[in-house]
Amino acid sequence: MKRRSLLRLCLAACAGMLPILPAVAAQPQVLTVGLIPAEDSQAMLENSKAVIDSLQKQLGVTVKPFIATDYNGIIEALRAKKLDVAYLGPFSYVLATTVANVEAFSVAETKKSGKSFYKSLIITRKDSGIQNVEQLKGRTMAFVDPSSASGHLFPSAGLQKLNIDPAKYFSRVIFSGSHDASILAVANKKVDAAAVADRILAAAVAKGVVQQSDLNVVWTSPDIPESPMVWRKDLDPAFKQKIAAAFGNIKDVQWGDQGVLNGFVATNDAAYNVVRDTAKILNLDLKAMK
Protein backbone atom coordinates (compact mmCIF):
# COMPACT_ATOMS: atom_id res chain seq x y z
CA MET A 1 0.00 0.00 0.00
CA LYS A 2 2.83 2.35 0.86
CA ARG A 3 4.49 1.65 -2.48
CA ARG A 4 1.23 2.37 -4.37
CA SER A 5 0.75 5.61 -2.47
CA LEU A 6 4.33 6.65 -3.18
CA LEU A 7 3.86 5.83 -6.90
CA ARG A 8 0.71 7.95 -7.06
CA LEU A 9 2.54 10.85 -5.42
CA CYS A 10 5.41 10.56 -7.90
CA LEU A 11 3.04 10.46 -10.90
CA ALA A 12 1.13 13.48 -9.59
CA ALA A 13 4.36 15.39 -9.05
CA CYS A 14 5.58 14.58 -12.56
CA ALA A 15 2.27 15.64 -14.06
CA GLY A 16 2.56 18.96 -12.27
CA MET A 17 5.99 19.51 -13.80
CA LEU A 18 4.78 18.99 -17.42
CA PRO A 19 4.43 22.21 -19.47
CA ILE A 20 0.92 23.37 -20.20
CA LEU A 21 0.54 23.40 -23.96
CA PRO A 22 -1.88 25.81 -25.57
CA ALA A 23 -4.94 24.30 -27.19
CA VAL A 24 -4.55 23.92 -30.95
CA ALA A 25 -7.41 25.58 -32.83
CA ALA A 26 -9.08 23.22 -35.23
CA GLN A 27 -9.05 24.39 -38.85
CA PRO A 28 -12.57 25.38 -39.92
CA GLN A 29 -14.23 22.96 -42.32
CA VAL A 30 -16.05 25.75 -44.15
CA LEU A 31 -14.68 29.07 -45.43
CA THR A 32 -17.33 31.67 -46.22
CA VAL A 33 -16.37 34.24 -48.85
CA GLY A 34 -18.38 37.40 -49.46
CA LEU A 35 -18.48 39.06 -52.89
CA ILE A 36 -19.54 42.61 -53.70
CA PRO A 37 -22.33 43.01 -56.28
CA ALA A 38 -20.16 44.58 -59.02
CA GLU A 39 -22.14 42.60 -61.60
CA ASP A 40 -25.46 40.81 -61.35
CA SER A 41 -25.34 37.97 -58.81
CA GLN A 42 -25.33 35.09 -61.27
CA ALA A 43 -22.53 36.60 -63.38
CA MET A 44 -20.49 37.28 -60.24
CA LEU A 45 -20.84 33.64 -59.15
CA GLU A 46 -19.93 32.29 -62.58
CA ASN A 47 -16.92 34.59 -62.99
CA SER A 48 -15.66 33.77 -59.48
CA LYS A 49 -16.07 30.00 -59.80
CA ALA A 50 -12.44 29.28 -60.76
CA VAL A 51 -11.13 31.21 -57.75
CA ILE A 52 -13.58 29.53 -55.38
CA ASP A 53 -12.71 26.08 -56.76
CA SER A 54 -8.98 26.74 -56.43
CA LEU A 55 -9.34 27.88 -52.82
CA GLN A 56 -11.41 24.81 -52.00
CA LYS A 57 -8.81 22.47 -53.52
CA GLN A 58 -5.83 24.15 -51.86
CA LEU A 59 -7.35 24.59 -48.40
CA GLY A 60 -9.13 21.23 -48.25
CA VAL A 61 -12.31 22.84 -46.94
CA THR A 62 -15.70 23.73 -48.37
CA VAL A 63 -15.69 27.30 -49.70
CA LYS A 64 -19.11 28.95 -49.74
CA PRO A 65 -19.55 32.17 -51.76
CA PHE A 66 -22.08 34.75 -50.60
CA ILE A 67 -23.26 37.75 -52.62
CA ALA A 68 -25.18 40.48 -50.83
CA THR A 69 -27.53 42.93 -52.50
CA ASP A 70 -25.29 45.84 -51.52
CA TYR A 71 -21.96 46.70 -49.91
CA ASN A 72 -23.39 47.06 -46.41
CA GLY A 73 -24.75 43.52 -46.60
CA ILE A 74 -21.18 42.21 -46.86
CA ILE A 75 -19.93 44.53 -44.11
CA GLU A 76 -22.74 43.49 -41.77
CA ALA A 77 -22.00 39.81 -42.42
CA LEU A 78 -18.31 40.38 -41.58
CA ARG A 79 -19.23 42.27 -38.43
CA ALA A 80 -21.57 39.46 -37.36
CA LYS A 81 -18.85 36.86 -38.12
CA LYS A 82 -21.03 35.20 -40.75
CA LEU A 83 -18.22 35.68 -43.29
CA ASP A 84 -14.54 34.81 -42.95
CA VAL A 85 -13.16 36.48 -46.07
CA ALA A 86 -14.67 39.08 -48.40
CA TYR A 87 -13.99 40.96 -51.60
CA LEU A 88 -14.75 44.63 -50.96
CA GLY A 89 -14.49 47.87 -52.86
CA PRO A 90 -11.87 50.35 -51.62
CA PHE A 91 -14.35 52.61 -49.83
CA SER A 92 -16.45 49.76 -48.51
CA TYR A 93 -13.23 48.28 -47.11
CA VAL A 94 -12.32 51.51 -45.32
CA LEU A 95 -15.89 51.66 -44.02
CA ALA A 96 -15.65 48.03 -42.87
CA THR A 97 -12.53 48.79 -40.80
CA THR A 98 -14.55 51.29 -38.77
CA VAL A 99 -17.28 48.83 -37.79
CA ALA A 100 -15.81 45.33 -38.16
CA ASN A 101 -12.55 43.70 -37.10
CA VAL A 102 -11.13 43.25 -40.61
CA GLU A 103 -7.98 43.97 -42.60
CA ALA A 104 -6.91 43.84 -46.25
CA PHE A 105 -4.41 41.13 -47.10
CA SER A 106 -4.46 40.55 -50.86
CA VAL A 107 -5.35 42.31 -54.10
CA ALA A 108 -5.88 41.07 -57.64
CA GLU A 109 -3.52 41.92 -60.46
CA THR A 110 -4.95 41.28 -63.90
CA LYS A 111 -3.18 40.19 -67.07
CA LYS A 112 -4.89 42.92 -69.04
CA SER A 113 -3.62 45.82 -66.94
CA GLY A 114 -0.73 44.27 -65.03
CA LYS A 115 -1.72 46.67 -62.26
CA SER A 116 -3.44 46.58 -58.89
CA PHE A 117 -5.32 49.84 -59.42
CA TYR A 118 -8.06 51.14 -61.70
CA LYS A 119 -9.96 54.33 -62.57
CA SER A 120 -13.44 55.78 -62.36
CA LEU A 121 -15.07 57.20 -65.48
CA ILE A 122 -18.11 59.37 -66.07
CA ILE A 123 -19.71 58.27 -69.32
CA THR A 124 -22.42 59.68 -71.59
CA ARG A 125 -23.95 58.69 -74.91
CA LYS A 126 -22.33 60.35 -77.92
CA ASP A 127 -25.70 61.10 -79.45
CA SER A 128 -26.61 63.12 -76.32
CA GLY A 129 -24.18 65.82 -77.41
CA ILE A 130 -22.63 65.85 -73.90
CA GLN A 131 -18.87 66.01 -74.32
CA ASN A 132 -17.70 67.47 -71.00
CA VAL A 133 -18.66 67.81 -67.34
CA GLU A 134 -19.84 71.40 -67.82
CA GLN A 135 -22.58 70.15 -70.16
CA LEU A 136 -23.91 67.82 -67.45
CA LYS A 137 -25.45 70.67 -65.47
CA GLY A 138 -29.18 70.03 -65.03
CA ARG A 139 -28.90 66.51 -66.47
CA THR A 140 -29.61 63.14 -64.84
CA MET A 141 -26.80 61.13 -63.22
CA ALA A 142 -26.40 57.53 -62.08
CA PHE A 143 -24.05 56.47 -59.32
CA VAL A 144 -23.64 52.83 -58.25
CA ASP A 145 -23.83 52.71 -54.47
CA PRO A 146 -23.15 55.30 -51.74
CA SER A 147 -20.10 53.27 -50.62
CA SER A 148 -18.76 52.54 -54.11
CA ALA A 149 -15.29 54.00 -54.75
CA SER A 150 -15.38 54.28 -58.55
CA GLY A 151 -19.17 54.35 -58.77
CA HIS A 152 -19.74 57.27 -56.41
CA LEU A 153 -17.12 58.57 -54.02
CA PHE A 154 -14.08 59.21 -56.22
CA PRO A 155 -16.19 60.87 -58.95
CA SER A 156 -18.00 62.94 -56.31
CA ALA A 157 -14.65 64.12 -54.93
CA GLY A 158 -13.46 64.85 -58.48
CA LEU A 159 -16.55 66.94 -59.16
CA GLN A 160 -16.11 68.84 -55.91
CA LYS A 161 -12.56 69.72 -56.96
CA LEU A 162 -14.21 71.35 -59.97
CA ASN A 163 -16.48 73.28 -57.56
CA ILE A 164 -19.44 71.11 -58.51
CA ASP A 165 -21.85 69.91 -55.85
CA PRO A 166 -23.44 66.73 -57.28
CA ALA A 167 -26.54 67.16 -55.11
CA LYS A 168 -27.28 70.54 -56.73
CA TYR A 169 -25.64 70.20 -60.14
CA PHE A 170 -27.79 67.39 -61.53
CA SER A 171 -31.56 67.47 -62.00
CA ARG A 172 -31.84 63.93 -60.64
CA VAL A 173 -29.39 61.45 -59.10
CA ILE A 174 -30.05 57.71 -58.77
CA PHE A 175 -28.13 54.80 -57.27
CA SER A 176 -28.39 51.89 -59.68
CA GLY A 177 -26.97 49.15 -57.43
CA SER A 178 -24.29 47.90 -59.85
CA HIS A 179 -21.84 49.17 -62.46
CA ASP A 180 -23.54 47.07 -65.15
CA ALA A 181 -26.90 48.66 -64.31
CA SER A 182 -25.38 52.14 -64.56
CA ILE A 183 -23.80 51.36 -67.94
CA LEU A 184 -27.14 50.07 -69.26
CA ALA A 185 -28.96 53.10 -67.83
CA VAL A 186 -26.80 55.33 -70.04
CA ALA A 187 -27.00 53.00 -73.04
CA ASN A 188 -30.80 52.82 -72.79
CA LYS A 189 -31.17 56.58 -72.26
CA LYS A 190 -32.58 56.21 -68.74
CA VAL A 191 -29.99 58.71 -67.48
CA ASP A 192 -27.69 61.17 -69.20
CA ALA A 193 -24.49 60.11 -67.44
CA ALA A 194 -23.07 57.53 -65.05
CA ALA A 195 -19.95 56.96 -62.98
CA VAL A 196 -18.47 53.48 -63.47
CA ALA A 197 -15.22 51.55 -63.12
CA ASP A 198 -13.11 51.53 -66.29
CA ARG A 199 -12.52 47.78 -66.16
CA ILE A 200 -16.23 47.01 -65.81
CA LEU A 201 -17.02 49.23 -68.77
CA ALA A 202 -14.28 47.44 -70.75
CA ALA A 203 -15.85 44.09 -69.83
CA ALA A 204 -19.28 45.28 -70.96
CA VAL A 205 -17.80 46.40 -74.29
CA ALA A 206 -15.97 43.08 -74.71
CA LYS A 207 -19.24 41.20 -74.13
CA GLY A 208 -21.06 43.32 -76.68
CA VAL A 209 -23.42 44.77 -74.06
CA VAL A 210 -22.52 48.28 -75.25
CA GLN A 211 -20.44 49.72 -78.07
CA GLN A 212 -17.47 51.90 -77.14
CA SER A 213 -18.16 54.02 -80.21
CA ASP A 214 -21.57 54.96 -78.76
CA LEU A 215 -20.08 56.44 -75.59
CA ASN A 216 -18.10 59.48 -74.49
CA VAL A 217 -15.84 59.57 -71.43
CA VAL A 218 -16.20 63.07 -69.99
CA TRP A 219 -14.18 62.61 -66.78
CA THR A 220 -11.45 60.24 -65.57
CA SER A 221 -10.25 59.79 -61.99
CA PRO A 222 -6.73 59.41 -60.62
CA ASP A 223 -5.60 55.85 -59.79
CA ILE A 224 -7.79 54.02 -57.27
CA PRO A 225 -6.26 51.09 -55.34
CA GLU A 226 -7.87 47.87 -56.51
CA SER A 227 -10.62 46.19 -54.51
CA PRO A 228 -8.98 44.12 -51.74
CA MET A 229 -9.58 40.70 -50.30
CA VAL A 230 -10.08 41.11 -46.55
CA TRP A 231 -10.33 38.73 -43.64
CA ARG A 232 -11.55 38.91 -40.10
CA LYS A 233 -8.58 39.57 -37.85
CA ASP A 234 -9.78 36.99 -35.32
CA LEU A 235 -9.36 34.04 -37.69
CA ASP A 236 -6.79 31.46 -36.59
CA PRO A 237 -3.33 32.85 -37.55
CA ALA A 238 -2.20 29.55 -39.08
CA PHE A 239 -5.36 29.37 -41.16
CA LYS A 240 -4.86 32.96 -42.31
CA GLN A 241 -1.39 32.03 -43.54
CA LYS A 242 -2.91 29.18 -45.55
CA ILE A 243 -5.57 31.49 -46.98
CA ALA A 244 -2.98 34.10 -48.02
CA ALA A 245 -0.80 31.41 -49.62
CA ALA A 246 -3.80 29.93 -51.44
CA PHE A 247 -4.74 33.30 -52.94
CA GLY A 248 -1.10 33.85 -53.89
CA ASN A 249 -1.15 30.60 -55.88
CA ILE A 250 -4.21 31.50 -57.94
CA LYS A 251 -3.16 32.53 -61.45
CA ASP A 252 -4.46 32.45 -65.01
CA VAL A 253 -8.14 32.23 -64.01
CA GLN A 254 -11.13 34.52 -64.46
CA TRP A 255 -11.90 36.76 -61.47
CA GLY A 256 -15.23 38.55 -61.52
CA ASP A 257 -15.30 41.64 -63.70
CA GLN A 258 -11.52 42.04 -63.56
CA GLY A 259 -10.73 39.40 -66.18
CA VAL A 260 -7.90 36.86 -66.16
CA LEU A 261 -5.49 37.12 -63.24
CA ASN A 262 -1.74 37.42 -63.13
CA GLY A 263 -2.34 36.51 -59.52
CA PHE A 264 -3.19 37.93 -56.13
CA VAL A 265 -0.46 40.04 -54.55
CA ALA A 266 -0.04 41.05 -50.91
CA THR A 267 -1.46 44.36 -49.72
CA ASN A 268 -2.12 46.03 -46.38
CA ASP A 269 -4.34 48.59 -44.72
CA ALA A 270 -1.99 51.53 -45.43
CA ALA A 271 -2.49 51.10 -49.18
CA TYR A 272 -6.01 52.48 -48.71
CA ASN A 273 -5.03 55.75 -47.03
CA VAL A 274 -5.68 57.49 -50.36
CA VAL A 275 -9.28 56.40 -49.95
CA ARG A 276 -9.38 57.87 -46.45
CA ASP A 277 -7.95 61.11 -47.85
CA THR A 278 -10.75 61.21 -50.44
CA ALA A 279 -13.26 60.74 -47.64
CA LYS A 280 -11.82 63.87 -46.01
CA ILE A 281 -12.31 65.86 -49.23
CA LEU A 282 -15.96 64.79 -49.14
CA ASN A 283 -16.24 65.44 -45.38
CA LEU A 284 -17.52 61.91 -45.02
CA ASP A 285 -18.34 60.39 -41.68
CA LEU A 286 -17.65 56.78 -42.69
CA LYS A 287 -19.52 55.36 -39.70
CA ALA A 288 -22.56 57.41 -40.60
CA MET A 289 -22.53 55.89 -44.09
CA LYS A 290 -23.37 52.48 -42.67
Side-chain angles (χ1 to χ4, degrees), residues 29 61 75 86 91 111 117 143 158 184 189 269 281:
Q29 295 306 301
V61 302
I75 294 170
F91 261 100
K111 283 190 176 295
F117 60 85
F143 291 113
L184 287 173
K189 301 183 180 181
D269 181 75
I281 292 173

mmCIF file of all heavy atoms in Angstrom, residues 29 61 75 86 91 111 117 143 158 184 189 269 281:
data_model
loop_
_atom_site.group_PDB
_atom_site.id
_atom_site.type_symbol
_atom_site.label_atom_id
_atom_site.label_comp_id
_atom_site.label_asym_id
_atom_site.label_seq_id
_atom_site.Cartn_x
_atom_site.Cartn_y
_atom_site.Cartn_z
ATOM 1 N N GLN A 29 -13.916 23.840 -41.195
ATOM 2 C CA GLN A 29 -14.235 22.959 -42.318
ATOM 3 C C GLN A 29 -14.968 23.683 -43.439
ATOM 4 O O GLN A 29 -15.167 23.140 -44.517
ATOM 5 C CB GLN A 29 -15.072 21.767 -41.817
ATOM 6 C CG GLN A 29 -14.319 20.863 -40.875
ATOM 7 C CD GLN A 29 -13.002 20.383 -41.476
ATOM 8 O OE1 GLN A 29 -12.972 19.753 -42.529
ATOM 9 N NE2 GLN A 29 -11.889 20.695 -40.799
ATOM 10 N N VAL A 61 -11.065 22.568 -47.644
ATOM 11 C CA VAL A 61 -12.311 22.844 -46.936
ATOM 12 C C VAL A 61 -13.370 23.270 -47.943
ATOM 13 O O VAL A 61 -13.049 23.636 -49.084
ATOM 14 C CB VAL A 61 -12.143 23.955 -45.873
ATOM 15 C CG1 VAL A 61 -11.073 23.583 -44.855
ATOM 16 C CG2 VAL A 61 -11.810 25.294 -46.523
ATOM 17 N N ILE A 75 -20.547 43.985 -45.333
ATOM 18 C CA ILE A 75 -19.930 44.533 -44.115
ATOM 19 C C ILE A 75 -20.640 44.013 -42.873
ATOM 20 O O ILE A 75 -20.000 43.623 -41.892
ATOM 21 C CB ILE A 75 -19.943 46.072 -44.163
ATOM 22 C CG1 ILE A 75 -19.035 46.563 -45.298
ATOM 23 C CG2 ILE A 75 -19.474 46.662 -42.838
ATOM 24 C CD1 ILE A 75 -19.163 48.047 -45.597
ATOM 25 N N ALA A 86 -13.762 38.365 -47.485
ATOM 26 C CA ALA A 86 -14.668 39.076 -48.396
ATOM 27 C C ALA A 86 -13.876 39.898 -49.402
ATOM 28 O O ALA A 86 -12.738 40.306 -49.153
ATOM 29 C CB ALA A 86 -15.616 39.981 -47.615
ATOM 30 N N PHE A 91 -13.655 51.845 -50.852
ATOM 31 C CA PHE A 91 -14.355 52.608 -49.829
ATOM 32 C C PHE A 91 -15.115 51.702 -48.878
ATOM 33 O O PHE A 91 -15.166 51.959 -47.670
ATOM 34 C CB PHE A 91 -15.312 53.615 -50.465
ATOM 35 C CG PHE A 91 -14.746 54.998 -50.530
ATOM 36 C CD1 PHE A 91 -14.196 55.470 -51.710
ATOM 37 C CD2 PHE A 91 -14.738 55.836 -49.423
ATOM 38 C CE1 PHE A 91 -13.658 56.744 -51.790
ATOM 39 C CE2 PHE A 91 -14.204 57.104 -49.490
ATOM 40 C CZ PHE A 91 -13.660 57.571 -50.677
ATOM 41 N N LYS A 111 -4.076 40.291 -65.911
ATOM 42 C CA LYS A 111 -3.181 40.195 -67.069
ATOM 43 C C LYS A 111 -3.367 41.390 -67.993
ATOM 44 O O LYS A 111 -2.407 41.891 -68.591
ATOM 45 C CB LYS A 111 -3.461 38.898 -67.837
ATOM 46 C CG LYS A 111 -2.883 37.653 -67.180
ATOM 47 C CD LYS A 111 -2.989 36.463 -68.091
ATOM 48 C CE LYS A 111 -2.321 35.243 -67.477
ATOM 49 N NZ LYS A 111 -0.869 35.440 -67.319
ATOM 50 N N PHE A 117 -4.489 48.650 -59.587
ATOM 51 C CA PHE A 117 -5.318 49.839 -59.419
ATOM 52 C C PHE A 117 -6.170 50.027 -60.672
ATOM 53 O O PHE A 117 -5.935 49.386 -61.697
ATOM 54 C CB PHE A 117 -4.471 51.088 -59.150
ATOM 55 C CG PHE A 117 -3.486 51.423 -60.238
ATOM 56 C CD1 PHE A 117 -3.868 52.176 -61.341
ATOM 57 C CD2 PHE A 117 -2.175 50.993 -60.160
ATOM 58 C CE1 PHE A 117 -2.971 52.480 -62.352
ATOM 59 C CE2 PHE A 117 -1.257 51.291 -61.164
ATOM 60 C CZ PHE A 117 -1.659 52.045 -62.265
ATOM 61 N N PHE A 143 -25.161 57.004 -60.081
ATOM 62 C CA PHE A 143 -24.051 56.469 -59.316
ATOM 63 C C PHE A 143 -24.397 55.018 -58.997
ATOM 64 O O PHE A 143 -25.540 54.577 -59.178
ATOM 65 C CB PHE A 143 -23.824 57.268 -58.038
ATOM 66 C CG PHE A 143 -23.310 58.669 -58.270
ATOM 67 C CD1 PHE A 143 -24.096 59.774 -57.968
ATOM 68 C CD2 PHE A 143 -22.048 58.879 -58.793
ATOM 69 C CE1 PHE A 143 -23.632 61.061 -58.178
ATOM 70 C CE2 PHE A 143 -21.563 60.166 -59.012
ATOM 71 C CZ PHE A 143 -22.359 61.262 -58.703
ATOM 72 N N GLY A 158 -13.982 64.201 -57.273
ATOM 73 C CA GLY A 158 -13.463 64.853 -58.476
ATOM 74 C C GLY A 158 -14.327 66.026 -58.896
ATOM 75 O O GLY A 158 -13.816 67.092 -59.290
ATOM 76 N N LEU A 184 -25.918 50.285 -68.471
ATOM 77 C CA LEU A 184 -27.138 50.073 -69.255
ATOM 78 C C LEU A 184 -28.090 51.262 -69.152
ATOM 79 O O LEU A 184 -28.810 51.572 -70.104
ATOM 80 C CB LEU A 184 -27.844 48.800 -68.798
ATOM 81 C CG LEU A 184 -27.157 47.492 -69.206
ATOM 82 C CD1 LEU A 184 -27.854 46.298 -68.560
ATOM 83 C CD2 LEU A 184 -27.136 47.349 -70.733
ATOM 84 N N LYS A 189 -30.674 55.201 -72.385
ATOM 85 C CA LYS A 189 -31.168 56.583 -72.257
ATOM 86 C C LYS A 189 -32.077 56.798 -71.047
ATOM 87 O O LYS A 189 -32.951 57.667 -71.065
ATOM 88 C CB LYS A 189 -31.891 57.009 -73.542
ATOM 89 C CG LYS A 189 -31.012 56.944 -74.783
ATOM 90 C CD LYS A 189 -31.746 57.454 -76.028
ATOM 91 C CE LYS A 189 -30.837 57.385 -77.256
ATOM 92 N NZ LYS A 189 -31.509 57.905 -78.474
ATOM 93 N N ASP A 269 -3.385 47.527 -44.999
ATOM 94 C CA ASP A 269 -4.343 48.591 -44.720
ATOM 95 C C ASP A 269 -3.843 49.958 -45.201
ATOM 96 O O ASP A 269 -4.625 50.775 -45.701
ATOM 97 C CB ASP A 269 -4.634 48.632 -43.214
ATOM 98 C CG ASP A 269 -5.637 49.692 -42.850
ATOM 99 O OD1 ASP A 269 -6.838 49.489 -43.110
ATOM 100 O OD2 ASP A 269 -5.225 50.744 -42.318
ATOM 101 N N ILE A 281 -11.897 64.857 -48.242
ATOM 102 C CA ILE A 281 -12.313 65.865 -49.229
ATOM 103 C C ILE A 281 -13.834 65.977 -49.244
ATOM 104 O O ILE A 281 -14.399 67.064 -49.355
ATOM 105 C CB ILE A 281 -11.790 65.499 -50.636
ATOM 106 C CG1 ILE A 281 -10.269 65.610 -50.683
ATOM 107 C CG2 ILE A 281 -12.437 66.408 -51.706
ATOM 108 C CD1 ILE A 281 -9.668 65.106 -51.982
#
